[in-house]
Amino acid sequence: MEAATAPHENLNRLAVSATTHCLTGCAIGEVLGMAIATAFGWGNLPQIVLAVVLAYFFGFALTAMPLVKAGLAAGVVVSTALTADTVSITIMEAIDNLTVIIWPGAIDAGLGDALFYVSIAAGFAIAYPFAFLANRYMIARGKVHAVVHEYH
């Protein structure tokens, strides 16, 4: 590998890692939120709100874990996790939920319906490149996950 391409490949690798990490937290939150809301018989709006709140929670929690293990102070952990993931999670959640809302029948699909999972997966697949580009841009400038990955 040429020395000139190494930083570019490392940047892409970090951006893929950050985006996949974001996707994981979002997916856990989305599916768990929909499962809880379905169990309680909630309508679409409270279901979406719970899923989004849990997506942020799990995204931030996954970022916070290595920071806590590294022994950082609680304030540093919280501020770093919020800074690292807010943009990426927001992109993922906005695009994913918009996909579910506009996909015919997806908003009313239940946990036992393939459409439920297909529409969420499609939304995340559409969102991934946008979140990747945002993460890559910020990492290239020493922001967000560039800081977090020092503790992985």
Side-chain angles (χ1 to χ4, degrees):
M1 173 181 345
E2 293 179 21
T5 61
H8 176 74
E9 290 177 8
N10 189 42
L11 174 61
N12 287 339
R13 199 169 329 139
L14 280 174
V16 164
S17 176
T19 307
T20 302
H21 171 266
C22 171
L23 172 67
T24 302
C26 288
I28 292 168
E30 284 285 331
V31 173
L32 184 60
M34 296 297 181
I36 291 169
T38 299
F40 285 116
W42 294 353
N44 292 334
L45 183 60
Q47 199 172 47
I48 290 170
V49 169
L50 178 61
V52 169
V53 167
L54 290 176
Y56 276 97
F57 173 79
F58 283 102
F60 293 144
L62 289 174
T63 295
M65 286 190 296
L67 302 176
V68 170
K69 287 180 185 175
L72 297 177
V76 173
V77 170
V78 170
S79 65
T80 302
L82 290 173
T83 302
D85 285 332
T86 299
V87 171
S88 186
I89 293 172
T90 300
I91 291 168
M92 284 276 188
E93 285 302 301
I95 293 173
D96 181 62
N97 282 291
L98 182 60
T99 301
V100 172
I101 289 168
I102 64 173
W103 190 311
I107 193 73
D108 296 318
L111 293 171
D113 299 324
L115 181 57
F116 170 80
Y117 301 99
V118 170
S119 63
I120 289 175
F124 285 136
I126 294 166
Y128 193 93
F130 295 100
F132 168 82
L133 290 172
N135 282 325
R136 188 180 188 287
Y137 176 84
M138 291 184 288
I139 291 168
R141 281 141 190 83
K143 309 278 190 228
V144 300
H145 278 274
V147 176
V148 173
H149 279 275
E150 293 175 16
Y151 298 101
H152 279 264

